[in-house]
Amino acid sequence: MTTGVIPGGQSPEPSGARLPHQRHERAGHEDVHIDDRSRSSVITARAGANFEPVGRSVATARSFVRDTLQGWGFADIVDDAVVLTSELVTNAVVHAGTHADVLCLRSTDGVRIEVADRYPEREVPLQTSAVNMGSPDREGGRGLQLCAALAGRWGVEYTPTHKNVWFQLDLPERSVGTRAAGPSLPAELLPLADGRVRVAVVQIDRKGSVTSWNEDAEEVFGHPSGQVIGKPLTDLAAWPHTPGTGTGIAEALQLSRWEGSYGIRGADGRVIPVYASHLRVRDTAGEPSTVCLLVRDHERAVLQTPSRVPAADSPAVTDGQSADPFEVFIGSPAPDDLDGLLQRTVERARDMLDADSAFLLLATDDETELEVRASTGLPSARQRFARVPVEAGPGRYGSARMPAVHEDLTAVPGAVPLLNGTGMRSVVTVPLKVEGRLTGSLGVAAEAPGRYSNEEALRLQFAADRIALAVESARLGELERLRRGSLSFLVEASDLLAGTLDRDQTLALMAQMTVPTLATWCAVYTIADPASEPFLSYVLHEDEELIDGIKSLLSKIAPPDPVLTPGARVWTAPAEVAHQAALRSSMRSLGLSGGATHQVASGIGPTLATAAAVGGETVVLPLVARNRVIGMLTLGKPTDEHFRQEILELAEDLSRRAALALDNARLYSERTAISQALQRSLLPPGTPHIEGIEVEVIYCAAGEGNEVGGDFYDVFPIGEGAYGFAIGDVCGTGPNAAAVTGLARHALRLLAREGLSGPAVLERLNSAILDEGARSRFLTLLYGEMRPQPDGGAELKVVCAGHPLPLRLRQDGSVEAAAEPQPLLGVIEDLELYEQTVTLDPGDVLLCVTDGVTERREGTRMLGDDGLADVLATCTGLTAGAVAARIMRAVERFASDAPSDDMAILAMRVPGLHNE
């Protein structure tokens, strides 16, 4: 860091020790890269500093601004200035990664502070549009938001090489000659004093030794001046070494101004409580010293200044009543959400100990792990929700249950795993406990070694005790809200998964329910059987453009091992392989090669975006159903992100439901495929081409997923020039009826090709049905043999066994029954059936249907035989296909409901001689 102080009028040097690596410059020497143009108000002093882009620069910048403003006597605005500077310097050196130039300007009407970085963002917010300054709960990007809230004026200035954010804090209005004053009070309200009020005036040199001891000091403490002059004040002071104390007596004497309570040992050995005001000055030779004004503690009103905003590390006292210690530390109003409260806590803890970073971890329910929930000065995105075991051991958090101070982490590597690789050297951690139970851990760290001692540990522990109960209450509230949301999520997920039995749709639902609610990306592996390898079945990312890259990456690496053990386990392969492949791709683009990246398969080639997408934590949850691993659900986060424990528990619950739904869909798909294969075997392989005869069939099986039911049809060749046709209806629907259907259809073909007549075929079929015993079902059947004639007609021999009668449509539009009814099959053993001969002339149509057509109902109405005949009468001149289609359309339109019975329509037509 380099700094410069340029006086205007007089040269106020920041009091206290000079900043490290500080360079002072003479008047008139401009600060590098700092805008020095004239302003409307008169500049009376200025101080500038440059900070390197490292984490410790934020704490150094805070100290620089605090010392500068206290040296100028502007203690009233120090707190606001330090907060704003901290945010703006953090944006520059941590988030933008550039040097930061800080310039403090003292003028007649206030203080202007400028923070410039080397990242010249060119987008200037328009005056007519609202400025989106981000969420107040995130760590970065709040500088402008705070400027708008705290500063009297602020702005952003751009140059080709810099972006300069400035803010001005106005001084409070004061009457001439008055530094600070209280109200005018009646005599009876004035503070009481025992006799004469004695103010002990003690002056201490820069080494802490007493150089002046007045008469009131001799009277109050009993020590003659000759006995104490030259002795260190620390020999007489009884400093209260209690948690929450801001500094020791030696540190207090180095501050520009300090007020508070401690004790002085009198000549009789007793400790006399005093209230003191320390003011650091320098003489004409520039030698600094401290003047201490001391009164008895019960007379503190004599010296105490009017109440100010309480400091973060000391409890405030107003009107004799202590302020709430939680509000003192956190500030008022306290954030009403857990993340905001935790972020405020780490920021206050960092500022309280002038640290470079701070972090807060919350314990899991079983207190075996700590989960990172807030940090500042650290790569929080990388650390957020990371989990660290509590008990002692390599890579574990060994000091979580007791306060601990590590002067140099290089001597005890791994003592605080969260800080590995962050450059932090010294750290102090304290537990958060509620009723003796570990609920979390709070820590601050610095890049320099040896920064913290037991005194800082006590101060931090006192702060942790202040906020532990509030944090635990907020955590339980968040946990309750999360659990309620989890229950709603699982109920909705269960409904969606139960609403489908399609395997592909179940896979899609699994992924869509997890992305982006639970994870950034998701992959589902399925395992067909125990002997099969996991197969990548589905990949989803919240950014659709990255899906192909992730799918390509996962297809080139070995899938995770399927294990029956429940719970999420970390899978590092995607992040490692993607990183290596992206590194190789980058090296190749730069003309470089070699190294360990050669081991990556050349076919992967993920882009940097793909590597970033899978670069975070990846977990695998087994999909277990009926004691078998049927797949794996893989969830992933982008670079440096981790899963919350609550999210993993929710994902585990979801995986159990999804596994059962996926297995049900698999079983349903398998059984549906078997059923459909068997049903297709019951249908005729095809309708033969018959010279001179048009044949059209329409078949509809009732029931979802059924291709064959109780109705059936068949048209097949019997011998040379002869064809058999049949249409029948087995009692009932579904698979049981379909079994009799198969028996009937195959028996008809076999018996007809043996040369048997129609009645003989049906009689033998009747015996076969009866032989089925309890499985037998009665059957209505229309069977016939057809022979096309040389003159263009056709001769049919028909047997109608209990079936709806076939209808004959003549060319003149008349409709008549083409057969007589006979007994149905499967009821009585001895059947006496006979066949009837029907002659079809050119242009005639023979229509055969099952009772699903004639018994089509709408309320009390039924289509019936007459209704079917009326529809058929309108089909004169139509082809067989057109006739069947018109009949089917009429049946469908007759009622609004879907058909509940199987239906078969067989239309046979002899083409006309002249018009076709």
Side-chain angles (χ1 to χ4, degrees):
M1 181 193 75
T2 59
T3 67
V5 177
I6 304 176
Q10 55 181 340
S11 178
E13 179 183 357
S15 41
R18 180 171 296 181
L19 296 174
H21 310 294
Q22 190 175 22
R23 184 179 70 249
H24 294 267
E25 302 176 357
R26 294 186 175 275
H29 194 166
E30 293 184 351
D31 294 322
V32 180
H33 301 308
I34 297 295
D35 184 14
D36 194 29
R37 57 184 178 275
S38 62
R39 295 172 173 84
S40 59
S41 58
V42 177
I43 305 300
T44 58
R46 68 181 66 190
N50 175 266
F51 301 93
E52 298 178 356
V54 293
R56 63 175 180 271
S57 295
V58 179
T60 309
R62 291 197 299 268
S63 299
F64 164 70
V65 172
R66 182 185 295 110
D67 292 341
T68 299
L69 298 190
Q70 286 179 342
W72 288 349
F74 295 157
D76 304 75
I77 61 175
V78 164
D79 292 339
D80 288 347
V82 168
V83 169
L84 294 178
T85 303
S86 177
E87 290 296 333
L88 296 179
V89 173
T90 298
N91 290 341
V93 303
V94 175
H95 300 299
T98 74
H99 285 73
D101 299 321
V102 180
L103 177 63
C104 301
L105 301 173
R106 185 181 71 182
S107 64
T108 55
D109 55 356
V111 172
R112 171 172 169 140
I113 297 179
E114 301 179 355
V115 179
D117 61 44
R118 314 292 174 84
Y119 188 77
E121 175 63 49
R122 302 306 300 169
E123 295 181 2
V124 182
L126 299 177
Q127 296 293 334
T128 57
S129 61
V131 180
N132 181 11
M133 290 181 282
S135 169
D137 294 329
R138 65 180 187 178
E139 180 182 355
R142 299 179 305 168
L144 301 184
Q145 213 168 14
L146 289 174
C147 286
L150 299 179
R153 284 173 288 173
W154 66 279
V156 183
E157 299 173 353
Y158 296 87
T159 69
T161 58
H162 285 71
K163 180 177 67 179
N164 187 30
V165 182
W166 63 270
F167 61 89
Q168 180 163 327
L169 299 174
D170 299 328
L171 298 177
E173 294 289 341
R174 295 194 181 99
S175 304
V176 176
T178 303
R179 175 62 179 85
S184 176
L185 296 176
E188 60 272 13
L189 296 181
L190 294 175
L192 294 175
D194 296 336
R196 177 190 168 199
V197 177
R198 296 185 180 274
V199 180
V201 180
V202 183
Q203 192 159 2
I204 297 96
D205 62 17
R206 68 163 61 209
K207 296 180 180 180
S209 300
V210 178
T211 59
S212 176
W213 186 268
N214 73 341
E215 293 180 358
D216 280 357
E218 293 182 1
E219 182 66 26
V220 173
F221 306 119
H223 296 290
S225 61
Q227 294 180 0
V228 295
I229 291 178
K231 293 184 178 181
L233 181 63
T234 53
D235 291 349
L236 300 176
W239 197 262
H241 292 284
T242 58
T245 302
T247 56
I249 181 64
E251 290 79 9
L253 295 176
Q254 297 297 319
L255 298 176
S256 61
R257 182 174 175 83
W258 183 91
E259 288 186 29
S261 301
Y262 57 95
I264 295 291
R265 294 183 179 86
D268 57 2
R270 292 184 300 107
V271 174
I272 302 172
V274 298
Y275 188 83
S277 176
H278 298 180
L279 178 65
R280 191 163 173 81
V281 297
R282 60 177 175 172
D283 58 22
T284 55
E287 183 67 18
S289 62
T290 302
V291 177
C292 304
L293 307 179
L294 301 94
V295 298
R296 290 183 176 89
D297 191 64
H298 61 272
E299 297 173 334
R300 64 168 57 198
V302 177
L303 296 182
Q304 191 171 25
T305 59
S307 299
R308 299 189 300 268
V309 175
D313 58 349
S314 61
V317 178
T318 304
D319 296 333
Q321 296 181 352
S322 298
D324 179 69
F326 171 76
E327 296 291 346
V328 168
F329 181 73
I330 293 296
S332 182
D336 57 1
D337 65 298
L338 179 61
D339 288 336
L341 176 61
L342 299 183
Q343 193 62 38
R344 178 84 64 84
T345 298
V346 295
E347 291 171 357
R348 291 300 175 91
R350 175 200 64 190
D351 295 343
M352 184 177 74
L353 296 185
D354 275 340
D356 296 316
S357 64
F359 52 90
L360 192 148
L361 302 88
L362 293 184
T364 55
D365 290 340
D366 57 4
E367 299 181 15
T368 60
E369 288 184 315
L370 295 172
E371 187 176 65
V372 181
R373 290 300 302 269
S375 65
T376 182
L378 294 173
S380 57
R382 174 170 63 88
Q383 304 292 354
R384 186 165 172 81
F385 300 123
R387 291 172 299 282
V388 184
V390 173
E391 303 304 327
R396 295 175 179 266
Y397 205 118
S399 58
R401 301 187 186 276
M402 293 292 292
V405 177
H406 297 284
E407 295 184 351
D408 193 347
L409 288 177
T410 58
V412 282
V416 184
L418 176 63
L419 300 179
N420 292 344
T422 61
M424 299 296 158
R425 297 282 297 277
S426 55
V427 61
V428 54
T429 61
V430 297
L432 275 68
K433 293 185 177 181
V434 175
E435 298 179 351
R437 180 173 57 86
L438 179 69
T439 60
S441 178
L442 176 63
V444 297
E447 294 185 352
R451 284 278 300 276
Y452 304 113
S453 63
N454 290 338
E455 182 179 349
E456 282 79 13
L458 290 174
R459 294 178 58 199
L460 191 61
Q461 183 66 72
F462 190 57
D465 293 341
R466 292 175 179 178
I467 56 95
L469 186 59
V471 169
E472 179 67 2
S473 177
R475 186 185 76 85
L476 293 176
E478 180 195 65
L479 186 60
E480 181 62 24
R481 290 190 296 272
L482 181 61
R483 285 174 177 169
R484 287 198 300 267
S486 299
L487 289 175
S488 300
F489 173 78
L490 291 174
V491 168
E492 182 179 356
S494 299
D495 289 342
L496 290 173
L497 291 172
T500 178
L501 288 172
D502 182 81
R503 176 182 175 276
D504 293 337
Q505 189 174 1
T506 301
L507 290 172
L509 282 175
M510 290 170 57
Q512 292 167 6
M513 285 185 294
T514 57
V515 177
T517 305
L518 305 181
T520 306
W521 64 273
C522 166
V524 183
Y525 291 86
T526 56
I527 302 175
D529 55 71
S532 302
E533 291 293 325
F535 176 74
L536 182 62
S537 299
Y538 202 91
V539 176
L540 184 65
H541 190 282
E542 61 183 6
D543 184 353
E544 293 183 357
E545 295 181 355
L546 298 176
I547 293 178
D548 291 339
I550 296 177
K551 187 181 298 182
S552 175
L553 171 70
L554 296 178
S555 64
K556 301 298 182 180
I557 63 178
D561 296 330
V563 295
L564 194 61
T565 306
R569 53 193 173 94
V570 177
W571 186 32
T572 60
E576 293 173 353
V577 174
H579 174 73
Q580 294 179 13
L583 179 60
R584 181 185 181 188
S585 177
S586 299
M587 294 177 66
R588 187 166 54 248
S589 66
L590 297 174
L592 304 174
S593 62
T597 56
H598 279 304
Q599 64 189 357
V600 182
S602 59
I604 298 178
T607 64
L608 293 177
T610 302
V614 301
E617 188 175 36
T618 300
V619 297
V620 178
L621 296 106
L623 298 174
V624 180
R626 299 174 176 90
N627 295 322
R628 187 174 74 85
V629 180
I630 63 170
M632 289 163 290
L633 178 64
T634 303
L635 307 180
K637 288 281 190 179
T639 300
D640 297 337
E641 289 194 19
H642 297 263
F643 286 98
R644 297 182 59 176
Q645 185 63 33
E646 293 86 351
I647 295 298
L648 292 180
E649 293 173 358
L650 180 59
E652 186 176 353
D653 285 340
L654 176 64
S655 68
R656 287 194 291 266
R657 290 165 169 80
L660 189 59
L662 182 61
D663 198 46
N664 288 339
R666 178 187 63 82
L667 293 174
Y668 178 77
S669 299
E670 290 178 356
R671 294 179 182 180
T672 299
I674 294 172
S675 175
Q676 290 175 348
L678 293 175
Q679 290 182 52
R680 281 191 293 269
S681 70
L682 302 178
L683 294 174
T687 302
H689 174 71
I690 303 176
E691 187 71 27
I693 303 293
E694 296 177 0
V695 179
E696 183 65 27
V697 178
I698 295 179
Y699 180 82
C700 294
E704 183 179 356
N706 292 330
E707 293 187 17
V708 175
D711 292 5
F712 69 96
Y713 70 93
D714 200 1
V715 179
F716 55 91
I718 297 176
E720 184 175 357
Y723 296 88
F725 66 91
I727 184 168
D729 183 2
V730 179
C731 174
T733 60
N736 293 329
V740 180
T741 297
L743 171 65
R745 193 178 69 80
H746 292 292
L748 283 175
R749 285 196 173 210
L750 179 62
L751 295 173
R753 287 171 179 172
E754 291 293 326
L756 299 176
S757 64
V761 169
L762 269 59
E763 290 169 0
R764 285 169 173 75
L765 176 59
N766 180 66
S767 299
I769 295 174
L770 292 174
D771 289 341
E772 291 292 307
R775 296 183 299 175
S776 67
R777 289 171 175 261
F778 63 82
L779 167 68
T780 66
L781 178 65
L782 172 66
Y783 173 75
E785 296 179 0
M786 175 173 51
R787 294 179 182 273
Q789 299 299 309
D791 60 359
E795 182 183 82
L796 285 72
K797 295 181 179 181
V798 180
V799 180
C800 186
H803 199 77
L805 299 179
L807 298 179
R808 177 182 180 180
L809 172 66
R810 296 184 180 275
Q811 279 191 316
D812 59 4
S814 61
V815 177
E816 62 183 6
E820 296 177 353
Q822 300 184 60
L824 51 75
L825 307 181
V827 177
I828 58 178
E829 294 184 2
D830 297 327
L831 284 179
E832 294 183 2
L833 303 174
Y834 58 91
E835 63 184 9
Q836 298 173 272
T837 302
V838 179
T839 301
L840 296 181
D841 298 327
D844 289 354
V845 175
L846 184 70
L847 176 66
C848 309
V849 300
T850 59
D851 59 4
V853 174
T854 57
E855 294 179 1
R856 176 72 162 149
R857 294 179 179 275
E858 174 68 18
T860 58
R861 297 186 307 118
M862 185 173 71
L863 180 62
D865 296 334
D866 294 338
L868 179 63
D870 292 340
V871 176
L872 181 61
T874 65
C875 298
T876 304
L878 298 181
T879 64
V883 171
R886 178 170 292 187
I887 297 299
M888 189 65 194
R889 187 163 57 250
V891 171
E892 290 176 343
R893 292 178 177 178
F894 187 80
S896 58
D897 296 336
S900 59
D901 194 6
D902 303 328
M903 290 188 296
I905 301 173
L906 172 62
M908 294 177 290
R909 176 177 179 269
V910 179
L913 296 178
H914 304 290
N915 55 354
E916 301 181 25

